[in-house]
Amino acid sequence: MRLPLINNSRSLTGTYKVPVLIGGVYGVGSVQAAKSSTSNSTQKQVIGIEMAEQKALAVAKGQVESIELKKKNTQVYYEVEIDQGQKDVDVLIEAYTGESLGVRNDNDDAPS
């Protein structure tokens, strides 16, 4: 079963949100950076959602709740939200190399 990207624009100027089915199987094709009209060189490709999930789970154990492809300035990365029972963490994975950029506590669900 293939799940569509909510924002399927080929440009990486915004955020891509991809639903993750808990306990299910999903597949989404890899996302590519927009083609440069002035260059015929080989295009860089992101590592893909499945690889980003594997890399994030190697850094922080738990259940993946969501994966978003984000761009901040010139950096493109996956933000992988992981439920660890009593807390949630966000693992940031560089979209082209798969390198972990860090882990931060996710306080989005904290009571106000």
Side-chain angles (χ1 to χ4, degrees), residues 47 52 55-60 68-80 90-105:
I47 61 171
K55 298 280 187 179
L57 288 172
V59 174
E68 297 178 43
L69 181 60
K70 294 187 170 189
K71 181 178 182 185
K72 185 173 185 178
N73 299 322
T74 60
Q75 179 113 44
V76 181
Y77 61 94
Y78 288 98
E79 181 179 276
V80 182
D90 291 331
V91 180
L92 307 180
I93 302 293
E94 207 285 332
Y96 296 108
T97 66
E99 175 185 348
S100 173
L101 300 174
V103 178
R104 64 181 180 211
N105 288 326

Side-chain angles (χ1 to χ4, degrees), residues 15-109:
T15 300
Y16 292 84
K17 291 189 176 186
V18 180
V20 175
L21 301 176
I22 296 184
V25 177
Y26 63 91
V28 177
S30 67
V31 178
Q32 294 181 342
K35 282 187 177 181
S36 170
S37 59
T38 61
S39 174
N40 289 333
S41 64
T42 304
Q43 205 175 36
K44 276 180 27 175
Q45 291 189 357
V46 296
I47 61 171
I49 293 168
E50 290 177 0
M51 181 62 72
E53 179 181 15
Q54 290 173 11
K55 298 280 187 179
L57 288 172
V59 174
K61 303 298 181 206
Q63 180 69 43
V64 173
E65 290 186 338
S66 68
I67 300 174
E68 297 178 43
L69 181 60
K70 294 187 170 189
K71 181 178 182 185
K72 185 173 185 178
N73 299 322
T74 60
Q75 179 113 44
V76 181
Y77 61 94
Y78 288 98
E79 181 179 276
V80 182
E81 185 176 344
I82 298 176
D83 180 358
Q84 294 185 319
Q86 296 297 322
K87 67 177 183 170
D88 289 353
V89 294
D90 291 331
V91 180
L92 307 180
I93 302 293
E94 207 285 332
Y96 296 108
T97 66
E99 175 185 348
S100 173
L101 300 174
V103 178
R104 64 181 180 211
N105 288 326
D106 179 12
N107 297 321
D108 291 345
D109 297 334

